[in-house]
Amino acid sequence: MNRRKNGKFVISLDLELNWGVFDVFTIEQYKENLLGAREAVPQLLKLFRKHNIHATWGIVGFLFFDNKKDLLKEVPDELPNYDDTSLSAYQHIEQIGENEIEDPFHFGTQLINQIKQVPNQEIATHTFSHYYCLAKGQCAKQFEVDLIKAIEVAKKHNISIKTIIFPRNQINPDYLSICKSHGVKLYRGCEKHWLYKVTGKQDSKFKRVIRLMDSYMNLSGHHVYVLDDLVQKDGIIDIPSSQFLRPYVKRMSVMESLKLRRIKAGMEMAAKERKLYHLWWHPHNFGADLKESMNMLGEIITYYQRLNEQYGMESVSMGELANTLLKKSYKVKHDEDSNENRGVSHAINQMA
Ligand SMILES: [Zn+2]
């Protein structure tokens, strides 16, 4: 069986703790989710290990430190110059505690070490400072400084970064070549539909409501992708999202079966048509109703296993997908070259 041709199931998680939400909630308001995220990580890893799920973890660079002193030492000279200064993680740094024991909301080395111990888990970057690539005021140079720091700090943990997950999915097309020049080969794109287009401005309530409805009923399509179409002209690979996995929410519990049905239908389509299905979320989304959300995920993983047995669908991390896709484009290129060579020798033979 040519496994390359089978459908692929990708899971990516954005691990950020409070660095991803400090401008939206106070710690008091979001405490349950943030502490719950720290419980969710080992439970997710246990499930992934048991069912051989290969996942990609996009981690904020600040979480790679276990104390404030070390983090402050690595603050770059050039900081993101957002017009809205409340977005800047550097503004928030002064308020954090001294270390991971004292302040579990802003440090993550214990979690990173847990992830590193489980096979087939890819650690990607979610930028150094949870950087907003479409925010007004910042520029390409500031993004590059941030990216370099993110790659450096991961390297100190013996991690080589080849995937980026952009915070709030703010993808600035001008920054993709910067990523590539620093060895980053892949990013997570958004669903190719107006509902999921990220502009950097707050979405209208209408758009948010329709997007919420889209999680329960198929309004925008299944967002499954032909693998060979993912490599872009400039050589960077967009592994787009199929669906954000909304956590279990008690007040919406009657809708849970609809949500699961929608996800399973997309997965099944990808498995049958040998395409990609990509599910993503944040561990903190699971934080509030962890048990129920883990049960929901368990059902999705069980369904994946059925698709694996029936159609050979494979669980792959984003990084593993790059290996396959880039090898394939190399092969195409290589074949083209040898065809050209054949053409040349044919012409020479003709001349002779
Ligand atoms: Zn984020």
Side-chain angles (χ1 to χ4, degrees), residues 16-201:
E16 54 197 30
L17 301 180
N18 197 40
W19 295 114
V21 292
F22 67 82
D23 60 320
V24 185
F25 303 109
T26 63
I27 292 225
E28 232 15 79
Q29 283 169 329
Y30 213 55
K31 199 173 183 174
E32 192 187 4
N33 283 79
L34 295 174
L35 292 177
R38 298 191 69 100
E39 277 180 62
V41 170
Q43 292 197 25
L44 289 165
L45 289 169
K46 194 174 163 197
L47 188 70
F48 292 170
R49 188 194 281 270
K50 185 170 171 204
H51 298 286
N52 195 23
I53 297 294
H54 301 202
T56 293
W57 299 75
I59 305 180
V60 171
F62 281 16
L63 292 179
F64 284 80
F65 298 93
D66 50 22
N67 66 72
K68 187 174 176 179
K69 204 172 93 217
D70 291 349
L71 169 58
L72 287 175
K73 265 194 263 172
E74 295 300 325
V75 169
D77 295 334
E78 180 136 13
L79 305 181
N81 192 21
Y82 305 128
D83 285 1
D84 177 359
T85 53
S86 71
L87 292 176
S88 175
Y90 298 99
Q91 293 265 331
H92 185 75
I93 272 185
E94 284 311 318
Q95 302 170 33
I96 70 174
E98 287 306 318
N99 56 49
E100 196 166 2
I101 310 271
E102 189 188 300
D103 179 353
F105 309 107
H106 295 102
F107 299 96
T109 50
Q110 290 173 12
L111 298 175
I112 293 168
N113 287 336
Q114 289 172 22
I115 297 167
K116 281 167 75 176
Q117 280 164 24
V118 177
N120 304 312
Q121 307 304 302
E122 176 195 13
I123 293 187
T125 184
H126 197 37
T127 73
F128 190 58
S129 65
H130 208 260
Y131 190 102
Y132 300 112
C133 294
L134 294 177
K136 280 220 170 82
Q138 54 77 39
C139 64
K141 177 77 202 331
Q142 291 159 4
F143 170 71
E144 186 168 28
V145 168
D146 182 283
L147 181 66
I148 291 171
K149 277 284 170 195
I151 292 170
E152 266 175 22
V153 75
K155 205 169 177 188
K156 283 185 188 154
H157 287 249
N158 297 318
I159 295 159
S160 150
I161 296 290
K162 57 179 172 183
T163 302
I164 185 165
I165 296 178
F166 292 103
R168 304 215 174 131
N169 293 316
Q170 291 190 9
I171 298 154
N172 186 329
D174 296 338
Y175 294 1
L176 295 177
S177 58
I178 299 173
C179 295
K180 203 187 165 204
S181 69
H182 291 284
V184 177
K185 296 186 173 75
L186 314 99
Y187 67 99
R188 185 181 66 214
C190 300
E191 292 89 330
K192 311 301 173 203
H193 189 277
W194 67 268
L195 262 183
Y196 296 93
K197 191 167 168 49
V198 177
T199 59
K201 293 183 200 116

Side-chain angles (χ1 to χ4, degrees), residues 194-199 203-212:
W194 67 268
L195 262 183
Y196 296 93
K197 191 167 168 49
V198 177
T199 59
D203 288 329
S204 65
K205 194 164 181 201
F206 171 75
K207 197 171 166 185
R208 279 180 288 149
V209 168
I210 304 287
R211 210 158 49 207
L212 178 68

